[in-house]
Amino acid sequence: AQRVTQPEKLLSVFKGAPVELKCNYSYSGSPELFWYVQYSRQRLQLLLRHISRESIKGFTADLNKGETSFHLKKPFAQEEDSAMYYCALSFSGGYNKLIFGAGTRLAVHP
Amino acid sequence: DAGITQSPRHKVTETGTPVTLRCHQTENHRYMYWYRQDPGHGLRLIHYSYGVKDTDKGEVSDGYSVSRSKTEDFLLTLESATSSQTSVYFCAISEAGRNTEAFFGQGTRLTVV
């Protein structure tokens, strides 16, 4: 069965520190992986997807099929990055249904 | 923001009563979904629709039903609300195709007392 694991409930860092939010998945085929973010009082929105290999707001994520991971990284955290981050998996033929991890709350302190 | 709205935004209801949540989209996206968000669980899929009158169960469908009579509307019904259904409910939409983005509504906070 497909599964997404985010081992950290809370990640607390100071402004300017590097950030890595961990995400591991289990899926036997070729997954489609995403990071969604929910800022306070806002709706969930897409941050980035693995297929695009893009950098959004300074965040990057690389799909490592050998380690079945899709960790989210940013070299220098900003206070406005404080939010709830969800890693999600979708798969071919699945009507784009998303399987979410439990989420990691990132708190960036001044 | 994508044209997706949920109503009501907040609701308090009593155990045993039926409740219907509405999701309305103006994007003409084919796929629609209902998720519930609970601490420690992230978002879990309740039901989804892949076309008008085409729906299927998700991971946590017990106690819920859905209907989609028009492309733009997707209704979620709690047939007899229980305290375990106290949650935040999110509707989402997406186009067909691989690696497409899902757009989410603002959420409905439901409390069953």
Side-chain angles (χ1 to χ4, degrees):
Chain A
Q2 305 89 0
R3 186 181 178 91
V4 175
T5 302
Q6 293 180 251
E8 303 133 333
K9 289 185 179 179
L10 172 66
L11 186 61
S12 187
V13 302
F14 287 103
K15 177 183 174 181
V19 168
E20 182 178 48
L21 287 78
K22 291 183 167 45
C23 172
N24 289 90
Y25 67 91
S26 61
Y27 178 60
S28 56
S30 293
E32 301 165 8
L33 285 156
F34 307 84
W35 277 98
Y36 281 83
V37 60
Q38 187 176 28
Y39 299 103
S40 179
R41 302 178 189 275
Q42 294 187 26
R43 63 183 74 197
L44 212 68
Q45 59 187 278
L46 178 68
L47 181 61
L48 51 80
R49 67 192 102 185
H50 88 272
I51 197 72
S52 303
R53 299 187 63 80
E54 57 198 344
S55 174
I56 303 294
K57 300 185 178 183
F59 284 97
T60 59
D62 289 320
L63 177 59
N64 185 323
K65 291 188 177 181
E67 296 183 357
T68 60
S69 68
F70 188 56
H71 302 329
L72 183 68
K73 300 178 183 179
K74 185 169 182 177
F76 307 103
Q78 302 299 315
E79 290 181 66
E80 54 265 31
D81 296 328
S82 296
M84 193 74 177
Y85 291 80
Y86 291 100
C87 183
L89 176 153
S90 183
F91 50 92
S92 178
Y95 299 106
N96 296 342
K97 294 176 291 184
L98 290 168
I99 298 164
F100 286 88
T104 298
R105 180 165 297 283
L106 175 64
V108 182
H109 304 285
Chain B
D1 285 343
I4 175 171
T5 55
Q6 293 182 228
S7 59
R9 295 292 313 280
H10 302 272
K11 187 169 182 66
V12 179
T13 193
E14 292 186 349
T15 299
T17 60
V19 177
T20 295
L21 309 182
R22 181 179 184 241
C23 178
H24 179 78
Q25 63 148 328
T26 57
E27 304 296 319
N28 202 36
H29 283 1
R30 182 176 172 186
Y31 299 155
M32 298 186 75
Y33 317 84
W34 278 106
Y35 293 90
R36 58 178 288 173
Q37 182 185 42
D38 302 290
H41 292 278
L43 283 80
R44 292 178 292 174
L45 183 66
I46 305 171
H47 280 279
Y48 65 100
S49 169
Y50 47 95
V52 173
K53 297 188 178 176
D54 291 323
T55 65
D56 205 349
K57 296 178 180 180
E59 178 188 359
V60 289
S61 59
D62 286 349
Y64 302 94
S65 62
V66 290
S67 67
R68 191 172 179 197
S69 58
K70 299 185 289 185
T71 298
E72 57 266 33
D73 290 325
F74 193 33
L75 303 180
L76 176 71
T77 298
L78 288 66
E79 291 137 12
S80 177
T82 67
S83 58
S84 64
Q85 294 175 313
T86 292
S87 186
V88 180
Y89 291 85
F90 285 97
C91 176
I93 61 175
S94 83
E95 294 182 286
R98 298 198 64 184
N99 289 294
T100 58
E101 178 178 357
F103 297 94
F104 287 81
Q106 319 98 301
T108 295
R109 184 173 295 277
L110 176 69
T111 303
V112 183
V113 298

mmCIF file of all heavy atoms in Angstrom, chain B residues 8-34:
data_model
loop_
_atom_site.group_PDB
_atom_site.id
_atom_site.type_symbol
_atom_site.label_atom_id
_atom_site.label_comp_id
_atom_site.label_asym_id
_atom_site.label_seq_id
_atom_site.Cartn_x
_atom_site.Cartn_y
_atom_site.Cartn_z
ATOM 1 N N PRO B 8 -20.877 25.325 4.831
ATOM 2 C CA PRO B 8 -20.487 26.512 5.581
ATOM 3 C C PRO B 8 -19.001 26.481 5.931
ATOM 4 O O PRO B 8 -18.326 25.487 5.696
ATOM 5 C CB PRO B 8 -21.353 26.399 6.836
ATOM 6 C CG PRO B 8 -21.470 24.917 7.043
ATOM 7 C CD PRO B 8 -21.560 24.323 5.662
ATOM 8 N N ARG B 9 -18.488 27.548 6.488
ATOM 9 C CA ARG B 9 -17.087 27.578 6.930
ATOM 10 C C ARG B 9 -16.941 26.997 8.334
ATOM 11 O O ARG B 9 -15.917 26.433 8.680
ATOM 12 C CB ARG B 9 -16.567 29.010 6.921
ATOM 13 C CG ARG B 9 -16.491 29.650 5.535
ATOM 14 C CD ARG B 9 -15.411 28.973 4.664
ATOM 15 N NE ARG B 9 -14.163 28.806 5.382
ATOM 16 C CZ ARG B 9 -13.264 29.769 5.565
ATOM 17 N NH1 ARG B 9 -13.504 30.990 5.080
ATOM 18 N NH2 ARG B 9 -12.153 29.527 6.211
ATOM 19 N N HIS B 10 -17.970 27.160 9.133
ATOM 20 C CA HIS B 10 -17.980 26.616 10.490
ATOM 21 C C HIS B 10 -19.366 26.055 10.761
ATOM 22 O O HIS B 10 -20.367 26.616 10.307
ATOM 23 C CB HIS B 10 -17.685 27.711 11.526
ATOM 24 C CG HIS B 10 -16.372 28.403 11.320
ATOM 25 N ND1 HIS B 10 -15.192 27.943 11.853
ATOM 26 C CD2 HIS B 10 -16.051 29.508 10.623
ATOM 27 C CE1 HIS B 10 -14.208 28.751 11.502
ATOM 28 N NE2 HIS B 10 -14.699 29.708 10.752
ATOM 29 N N LYS B 11 -19.384 24.940 11.500
ATOM 30 C CA LYS B 11 -20.676 24.377 11.887
ATOM 31 C C LYS B 11 -20.512 23.588 13.162
ATOM 32 O O LYS B 11 -19.548 22.827 13.318
ATOM 33 C CB LYS B 11 -21.254 23.493 10.789
ATOM 34 C CG LYS B 11 -22.680 23.028 11.100
ATOM 35 C CD LYS B 11 -23.344 22.381 9.921
ATOM 36 C CE LYS B 11 -24.770 21.967 10.260
ATOM 37 N NZ LYS B 11 -25.637 23.134 10.514
ATOM 38 N N VAL B 12 -21.488 23.769 14.054
ATOM 39 C CA VAL B 12 -21.591 22.959 15.255
ATOM 40 C C VAL B 12 -22.902 22.203 15.151
ATOM 41 O O VAL B 12 -23.945 22.807 14.892
ATOM 42 C CB VAL B 12 -21.559 23.822 16.529
ATOM 43 C CG1 VAL B 12 -21.697 22.933 17.766
ATOM 44 C CG2 VAL B 12 -20.286 24.651 16.605
ATOM 45 N N THR B 13 -22.856 20.917 15.353
ATOM 46 C CA THR B 13 -24.050 20.106 15.224
ATOM 47 C C THR B 13 -24.095 19.075 16.344
ATOM 48 O O THR B 13 -23.076 18.808 17.002
ATOM 49 C CB THR B 13 -24.108 19.417 13.855
ATOM 50 O OG1 THR B 13 -25.410 18.869 13.638
ATOM 51 C CG2 THR B 13 -23.081 18.292 13.761
ATOM 52 N N GLU B 14 -25.259 18.504 16.533
ATOM 53 C CA GLU B 14 -25.416 17.512 17.599
ATOM 54 C C GLU B 14 -25.224 16.100 17.062
ATOM 55 O O GLU B 14 -25.526 15.804 15.899
ATOM 56 C CB GLU B 14 -26.798 17.650 18.237
ATOM 57 C CG GLU B 14 -26.955 18.956 19.004
ATOM 58 C CD GLU B 14 -28.271 19.019 19.761
ATOM 59 O OE1 GLU B 14 -29.131 18.153 19.523
ATOM 60 O OE2 GLU B 14 -28.426 19.944 20.581
ATOM 61 N N THR B 15 -24.762 15.232 17.922
ATOM 62 C CA THR B 15 -24.606 13.827 17.566
ATOM 63 C C THR B 15 -25.921 13.265 17.044
ATOM 64 O O THR B 15 -26.989 13.513 17.620
ATOM 65 C CB THR B 15 -24.149 13.026 18.797
ATOM 66 O OG1 THR B 15 -22.886 13.532 19.238
ATOM 67 C CG2 THR B 15 -24.008 11.558 18.468
ATOM 68 N N GLY B 16 -25.824 12.534 15.962
ATOM 69 C CA GLY B 16 -26.996 11.875 15.397
ATOM 70 C C GLY B 16 -27.714 12.662 14.318
ATOM 71 O O GLY B 16 -28.591 12.122 13.640
ATOM 72 N N THR B 17 -27.340 13.901 14.111
ATOM 73 C CA THR B 17 -28.009 14.704 13.086
ATOM 74 C C THR B 17 -27.282 14.567 11.755
ATOM 75 O O THR B 17 -26.062 14.374 11.719
ATOM 76 C CB THR B 17 -28.072 16.176 13.477
ATOM 77 O OG1 THR B 17 -26.725 16.668 13.644
ATOM 78 C CG2 THR B 17 -28.822 16.376 14.776
ATOM 79 N N PRO B 18 -27.997 14.698 10.649
ATOM 80 C CA PRO B 18 -27.330 14.693 9.345
ATOM 81 C C PRO B 18 -26.745 16.073 9.048
ATOM 82 O O PRO B 18 -27.286 17.099 9.473
ATOM 83 C CB PRO B 18 -28.460 14.349 8.375
ATOM 84 C CG PRO B 18 -29.688 14.838 9.055
ATOM 85 C CD PRO B 18 -29.457 14.717 10.529
ATOM 86 N N VAL B 19 -25.634 16.071 8.341
ATOM 87 C CA VAL B 19 -24.960 17.323 7.996
ATOM 88 C C VAL B 19 -24.502 17.227 6.549
ATOM 89 O O VAL B 19 -23.997 16.180 6.119
ATOM 90 C CB VAL B 19 -23.714 17.543 8.890
ATOM 91 C CG1 VAL B 19 -22.980 18.803 8.463
ATOM 92 C CG2 VAL B 19 -24.098 17.625 10.358
ATOM 93 N N THR B 20 -24.669 18.312 5.800
ATOM 94 C CA THR B 20 -24.182 18.353 4.420
ATOM 95 C C THR B 20 -23.252 19.531 4.246
ATOM 96 O O THR B 20 -23.596 20.663 4.601
ATOM 97 C CB THR B 20 -25.350 18.443 3.422
ATOM 98 O OG1 THR B 20 -26.126 17.240 3.500
ATOM 99 C CG2 THR B 20 -24.822 18.597 1.990
ATOM 100 N N LEU B 21 -22.082 19.238 3.706
ATOM 101 C CA LEU B 21 -21.113 20.262 3.358
ATOM 102 C C LEU B 21 -21.081 20.405 1.841
ATOM 103 O O LEU B 21 -21.159 19.411 1.116
ATOM 104 C CB LEU B 21 -19.723 19.891 3.886
ATOM 105 C CG LEU B 21 -19.623 19.498 5.363
ATOM 106 C CD1 LEU B 21 -18.163 19.218 5.721
ATOM 107 C CD2 LEU B 21 -20.210 20.555 6.256
ATOM 108 N N ARG B 22 -20.920 21.656 1.398
ATOM 109 C CA ARG B 22 -20.950 21.909 -0.044
ATOM 110 C C ARG B 22 -19.603 22.436 -0.536
ATOM 111 O O ARG B 22 -18.962 23.252 0.117
ATOM 112 C CB ARG B 22 -22.033 22.926 -0.374
ATOM 113 C CG ARG B 22 -22.155 23.241 -1.877
ATOM 114 C CD ARG B 22 -23.262 24.223 -2.118
ATOM 115 N NE ARG B 22 -23.469 24.486 -3.543
ATOM 116 C CZ ARG B 22 -23.331 25.690 -4.102
ATOM 117 N NH1 ARG B 22 -22.995 26.728 -3.356
ATOM 118 N NH2 ARG B 22 -23.538 25.850 -5.393
ATOM 119 N N CYS B 23 -19.213 21.947 -1.711
ATOM 120 C CA CYS B 23 -18.031 22.435 -2.399
ATOM 121 C C CYS B 23 -18.463 22.896 -3.782
ATOM 122 O O CYS B 23 -19.106 22.126 -4.512
ATOM 123 C CB CYS B 23 -16.986 21.342 -2.505
ATOM 124 S SG CYS B 23 -15.500 21.828 -3.403
ATOM 125 N N HIS B 24 -18.103 24.114 -4.132
ATOM 126 C CA HIS B 24 -18.483 24.681 -5.416
ATOM 127 C C HIS B 24 -17.245 25.182 -6.137
ATOM 128 O O HIS B 24 -16.429 25.904 -5.559
ATOM 129 C CB HIS B 24 -19.468 25.834 -5.203
ATOM 130 C CG HIS B 24 -19.886 26.499 -6.470
ATOM 131 N ND1 HIS B 24 -20.817 25.958 -7.331
ATOM 132 C CD2 HIS B 24 -19.491 27.663 -7.039
ATOM 133 C CE1 HIS B 24 -20.991 26.761 -8.360
ATOM 134 N NE2 HIS B 24 -20.201 27.800 -8.212
ATOM 135 N N GLN B 25 -17.090 24.806 -7.409
ATOM 136 C CA GLN B 25 -15.934 25.259 -8.185
ATOM 137 C C GLN B 25 -16.385 25.964 -9.455
ATOM 138 O O GLN B 25 -17.439 25.666 -10.010
ATOM 139 C CB GLN B 25 -15.035 24.069 -8.555
ATOM 140 C CG GLN B 25 -15.717 23.047 -9.445
ATOM 141 C CD GLN B 25 -14.761 22.356 -10.403
ATOM 142 O OE1 GLN B 25 -13.777 22.946 -10.863
ATOM 143 N NE2 GLN B 25 -15.058 21.096 -10.747
ATOM 144 N N THR B 26 -15.573 26.907 -9.880
ATOM 145 C CA THR B 26 -15.853 27.631 -11.124
ATOM 146 C C THR B 26 -14.760 27.363 -12.157
ATOM 147 O O THR B 26 -14.662 28.089 -13.145
ATOM 148 C CB THR B 26 -15.958 29.139 -10.851
ATOM 149 O OG1 THR B 26 -14.736 29.584 -10.246
ATOM 150 C CG2 THR B 26 -17.134 29.452 -9.937
ATOM 151 N N GLU B 27 -13.936 26.351 -11.919
ATOM 152 C CA GLU B 27 -12.788 26.070 -12.794
ATOM 153 C C GLU B 27 -13.071 24.994 -13.833
ATOM 154 O O GLU B 27 -12.231 24.718 -14.685
ATOM 155 C CB GLU B 27 -11.586 25.634 -11.932
ATOM 156 C CG GLU B 27 -11.189 26.635 -10.867
ATOM 157 C CD GLU B 27 -10.710 27.941 -11.468
ATOM 158 O OE1 GLU B 27 -9.974 27.915 -12.478
ATOM 159 O OE2 GLU B 27 -11.082 29.006 -10.927
ATOM 160 N N ASN B 28 -14.199 24.337 -13.710
ATOM 161 C CA ASN B 28 -14.554 23.252 -14.640
ATOM 162 C C ASN B 28 -13.553 22.097 -14.592
ATOM 163 O O ASN B 28 -13.329 21.401 -15.598
ATOM 164 C CB ASN B 28 -14.660 23.778 -16.084
ATOM 165 C CG ASN B 28 -15.504 22.872 -16.958
ATOM 166 O OD1 ASN B 28 -16.495 22.303 -16.501
ATOM 167 N ND2 ASN B 28 -15.111 22.721 -18.211
ATOM 168 N N HIS B 29 -12.941 21.895 -13.411
ATOM 169 C CA HIS B 29 -12.026 20.760 -13.265
ATOM 170 C C HIS B 29 -12.823 19.472 -13.135
ATOM 171 O O HIS B 29 -13.875 19.439 -12.491
ATOM 172 C CB HIS B 29 -11.140 20.950 -12.038
ATOM 173 C CG HIS B 29 -10.029 21.933 -12.257
ATOM 174 N ND1 HIS B 29 -9.843 22.600 -13.438
ATOM 175 C CD2 HIS B 29 -9.049 22.355 -11.442
ATOM 176 C CE1 HIS B 29 -8.802 23.400 -13.351
ATOM 177 N NE2 HIS B 29 -8.295 23.275 -12.140
ATOM 178 N N ARG B 30 -12.274 18.428 -13.706
ATOM 179 C CA ARG B 30 -12.992 17.159 -13.754
ATOM 180 C C ARG B 30 -13.035 16.451 -12.403
ATOM 181 O O ARG B 30 -14.034 15.846 -12.041
ATOM 182 C CB ARG B 30 -12.324 16.252 -14.790
ATOM 183 C CG ARG B 30 -13.033 14.926 -14.960
ATOM 184 C CD ARG B 30 -12.386 14.114 -16.066
ATOM 185 N NE ARG B 30 -12.939 12.760 -16.115
ATOM 186 C CZ ARG B 30 -12.485 11.804 -16.904
ATOM 187 N NH1 ARG B 30 -11.466 12.035 -17.708
ATOM 188 N NH2 ARG B 30 -13.029 10.620 -16.884
ATOM 189 N N TYR B 31 -11.917 16.482 -11.678
ATOM 190 C CA TYR B 31 -11.822 15.703 -10.446
ATOM 191 C C TYR B 31 -12.105 16.589 -9.225
ATOM 192 O O TYR B 31 -11.627 17.726 -9.130
ATOM 193 C CB TYR B 31 -10.422 15.105 -10.276
ATOM 194 C CG TYR B 31 -9.985 14.151 -11.361
ATOM 195 C CD1 TYR B 31 -8.643 13.950 -11.624
ATOM 196 C CD2 TYR B 31 -10.914 13.439 -12.123
ATOM 197 C CE1 TYR B 31 -8.222 13.071 -12.611
ATOM 198 C CE2 TYR B 31 -10.503 12.568 -13.109
ATOM 199 C CZ TYR B 31 -9.158 12.390 -13.357
ATOM 200 O OH TYR B 31 -8.755 11.522 -14.346
ATOM 201 N N MET B 32 -12.840 16.012 -8.271
ATOM 202 C CA MET B 32 -13.101 16.703 -7.001
ATOM 203 C C MET B 32 -12.926 15.718 -5.862
ATOM 204 O O MET B 32 -13.168 14.506 -6.036
ATOM 205 C CB MET B 32 -14.518 17.312 -6.983
ATOM 206 C CG MET B 32 -14.738 18.363 -8.074
ATOM 207 S SD MET B 32 -16.330 19.195 -7.965
ATOM 208 C CE MET B 32 -16.075 20.307 -6.562
ATOM 209 N N TYR B 33 -12.537 16.248 -4.701
ATOM 210 C CA TYR B 33 -12.179 15.392 -3.571
ATOM 211 C C TYR B 33 -12.666 16.020 -2.264
ATOM 212 O O TYR B 33 -12.735 17.237 -2.141
ATOM 213 C CB TYR B 33 -10.651 15.243 -3.457
ATOM 214 C CG TYR B 33 -9.924 15.015 -4.756
ATOM 215 C CD1 TYR B 33 -9.565 16.080 -5.571
ATOM 216 C CD2 TYR B 33 -9.583 13.725 -5.175
ATOM 217 C CE1 TYR B 33 -8.900 15.877 -6.760
ATOM 218 C CE2 TYR B 33 -8.902 13.516 -6.365
ATOM 219 C CZ TYR B 33 -8.566 14.602 -7.153
ATOM 220 O OH TYR B 33 -7.898 14.401 -8.337
ATOM 221 N N TRP B 34 -12.937 15.153 -1.316
ATOM 222 C CA TRP B 34 -13.152 15.577 0.067
ATOM 223 C C TRP B 34 -12.104 14.902 0.947
ATOM 224 O O TRP B 34 -11.954 13.686 0.924
ATOM 225 C CB TRP B 34 -14.541 15.204 0.564
ATOM 226 C CG TRP B 34 -15.612 16.155 0.162
ATOM 227 C CD1 TRP B 34 -16.578 15.970 -0.782
ATOM 228 C CD2 TRP B 34 -15.841 17.455 0.713
ATOM 229 N NE1 TRP B 34 -17.379 17.076 -0.863
ATOM 230 C CE2 TRP B 34 -16.956 18.002 0.046
ATOM 231 C CE3 TRP B 34 -15.228 18.215 1.711
ATOM 232 C CZ2 TRP B 34 -17.461 19.273 0.336
ATOM 233 C CZ3 TRP B 34 -15.723 19.464 1.994
ATOM 234 C CH2 TRP B 34 -16.836 19.983 1.310
#
